[in-house]
């Protein structure tokens, strides 16, 4: 901890009259210190409504069951514990740690946490930190995109027209204001000076930090073929990409989606729902080959074809055609496909460029330990930019736990460690019910249970090993997915459920009790 953030003696306890306040300078700030009963509290002395440094002269009392100080000018009430303005939360002030020790009053100016990344990973840490230690840090957030934070995993429903872009916003502007968070949107950090503990943004903003959180996400893998840079070729990773895709939608418009993983299938389905003629090109013999077996792949392919989506399996795109803009692609099967829009969904890579340039240890991603701390003890990292125990991440679910663990350590309120768990994959496409988790391939020592209902288009595959469920694949009916996921993650023996396991938790009382 730097000296400017150490506890500072303000005065003697007896120097503050009961139920009143005094003004003190702590670091570079004017702080109002209040005595209420046997406790002391500290807030910024600046009244945000009047612009005057007067809160120390306010009246201390209780309002609506909360200890408050009333501004001597406009009479707004500020919580002594949190600094929240009861009448207008956007006019809240900062609160600081305060204590009485050996007859003296001590106050500590808050440390500064700089967050690089305004997406779901970085904001999850901030949310957790505000919940467990709201006074621990002044928070500054830099975001590369000119938007408020949003949930990238929900871009597919927006593309499909099933929800609005506003619905995937994580927090409105008022949230940042109410919590005293400084946001630099559309201004990415371009340099870290670890020696001086500062960051510098593309717009030249330099900010010091006591703790730095890197949540820089990932880069989409780009096509390395002729024409890949032409207008009309987009990835599907952010709101900018989504906007380009929506702008390209035309009646009788044509699109080619490259990549038959989860995101590629969702993109193809969304564009088709928007009325585009869509061809999906995938290099392997089955779609979502990392998560489905052959039969599930056939069912998914049939469902997509029934929606009017053309498939080109065991094929790659060798070139994007066009002189000044994309007008089609040429495949490895020597076929030309007309398209004004080419969407690539062929994978992601951790964005560790900033960390590497700062000399942090990186392999595929930023190397972190079980507390989300990098090899620099002042720098933490979470999300798709990291590598933890040789694992990188591309789904939202792990980010929640990473955020909680990271916040606990930033707040210095306990010890918690991140442990990676088996995570499910589920399509976010209405009418395409697909769920996959764990090890679904057959192998020595494993038992495979299957259920097929061709009339309903339902297929289930469960994989058992050493009397435990280690994999589950559901197509057409995923209502039992949470139960299977719980069995798998808990590692519960399934001997007593063996005969009815494939039918789900409602098949027997014993199964229902294991829910």
């Amino acid at each position: 901890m730097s000296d400017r953030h150490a506890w500072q003696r303000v005065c003697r306890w007896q120097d503050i009259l009961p139920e009143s306040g005094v003004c003190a300078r702590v670091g570079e700030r004017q702080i109002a210190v209040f005595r209420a009963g046997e406790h002391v509290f500290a807030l910024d002395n600046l009244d945000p409504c009047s612009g005057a440094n007067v809160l120390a002269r306010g009246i201390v009392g209780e309002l609506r069951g909360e200890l408050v100080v009333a501004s001597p000018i406009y009479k707004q009430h500020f919580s002594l514990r949190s600094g929240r303005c009861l009448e207008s939360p956007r006019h809240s002030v900062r609160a600081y740690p305060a204590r009485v020790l050996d007859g003296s009053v001590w106050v500590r100016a808050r440390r500064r946490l700089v967050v690089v990344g305004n997406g779901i990973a970085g904001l999850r840490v901030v949310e957790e930190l505000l919940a467990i230690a709201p006074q621990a840090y002044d928070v500054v957030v830099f975001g590369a995109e000119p938007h408020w934070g949003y949930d990238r995993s929900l871009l597919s429903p927006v593309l499909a027209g099933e929800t609005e872009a506003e619905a995937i916003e994580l927090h409105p502007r008022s949230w940042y204001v109410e919590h005293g968070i400084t946001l630099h949107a559309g201004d990415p950090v371009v340099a870290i000076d670890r020696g001086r503990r500062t960051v510098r943004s593309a717009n030249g903003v330099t900010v010091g930090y006591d703790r730095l959180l890197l949540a820089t996400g990932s880069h989409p893998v780009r096509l390395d073929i002729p024409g890949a840079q032409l207008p009309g070729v987009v990835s599907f990773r952010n709101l900018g990409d989504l906007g380009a895709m929506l702008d390209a939608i035309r009646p009788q418009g044509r699109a080619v989606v490259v990549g038959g993983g989860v995101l590629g299938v969702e993109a193809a389905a969304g564009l088709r729902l928007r009325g585009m003629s869509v061809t999906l090109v995938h290099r392997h013999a089955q779609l979502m080959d990392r998560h489905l077996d052959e039969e599930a792949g056939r069912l998914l392919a049939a469902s997509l074809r029934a929606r009017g989506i053309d498939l080109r399996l065991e094929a790659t795109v060798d070139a994007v055609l066009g002189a000044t803009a994309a007008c089609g692609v040429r495949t490895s099967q020597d076929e030309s496909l007309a398209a004004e829009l080419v969407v690539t969904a062929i994978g992601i890579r951790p964005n560790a460029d900033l960390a590497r340039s700062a000399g942090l240890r990186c392999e595929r991603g930023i190397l972190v330990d079980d507390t989300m701390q990098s090899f620099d003890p002042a720098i933490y990292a979470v999300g798709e930019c990291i590598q933890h125990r040789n694992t990188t991440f591309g789904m939202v679910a792990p980010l929640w736990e990473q955020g909680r663990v990271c916040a606990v350590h930033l707040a210095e309120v306990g010890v918690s460690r991140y442990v990676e768990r088996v995570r499910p994959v589920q399509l976010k496409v209405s009418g395409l019910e697909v769920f996959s988790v764990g090890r679904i391939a057959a192998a020595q020592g494993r038992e495979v249970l299957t259920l097929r209902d061709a009339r309903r288009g339902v297929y289930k595959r469960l994989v058992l090993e050493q009397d435990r469920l280690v994999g589950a694949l559901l197509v057409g009916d995923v209502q039992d997915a949470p139960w299977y996921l719980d069995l798998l993650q808990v590692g519960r023996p399934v001997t007593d459920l063996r005969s009815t396991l494939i039918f789900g938790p409602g098949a027997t009382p014993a199964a229902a009790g294991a829910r």
Side-chain angles (χ1 to χ4, degrees), residues 223-227 315-321 329-334:
L223 290 172
D224 186 17
I225 57 175
T316 59
V317 170
D318 290 347
V320 178
L321 307 177
V329 302
R330 186 177 66 249
T331 74
S332 57
Q333 298 171 342
D334 202 26

Side-chain angles (χ1 to χ4, degrees), residues 256-265 279-292 297 300-301 304 310-317 331-333 337 343 345-347:
V256 167
V257 177
V258 185
V262 174
L263 196 59
V265 170
T279 301
L280 177 59
V281 181
H282 187 51
R283 67 168 54 246
H284 298 293
Q286 73 178 50
L287 299 170
M288 292 179 58
D289 44 282
R290 293 177 55 190
H291 308 290
L292 306 184
L300 176 58
L304 292 177
D310 292 329
L311 302 180
R312 298 293 187 273
L313 302 179
E314 296 184 277
T316 59
V317 170
T331 74
S332 57
Q333 298 171 342
L337 301 172
V343 180
I346 54 177

Side-chain angles (χ1 to χ4, degrees), residues 39 64 68 70 105 139 161-162 238 254 310 377 414 462 479 512:
H39 302 282
R64 304 172 197 165
V68 298
V105 176
V139 180
E162 296 168 349
N238 57 43
R254 297 163 298 185
D310 292 329
L462 305 180
Q479 65 176 349

Side-chain angles (χ1 to χ4, degrees), residues 157-211:
V158 179
L159 174 63
E162 296 168 349
T163 189
E164 298 297 324
E166 292 77 13
I168 69 173
E169 184 180 81
L170 296 173
H171 295 290
R173 177 182 176 83
S174 59
W175 180 82
Y176 296 85
V177 175
E178 289 170 13
H179 292 91
I181 298 169
T182 301
L183 174 63
H184 299 275
D187 189 15
V189 169
V190 296
I192 301 169
D193 187 330
R194 292 167 56 201
R196 290 184 173 87
R197 288 196 178 184
T198 62
V199 300
R200 177 171 53 83
S201 75
N203 290 340
V205 177
T206 299
V207 177
Y209 67 84
D210 297 283
R211 294 290 182 269

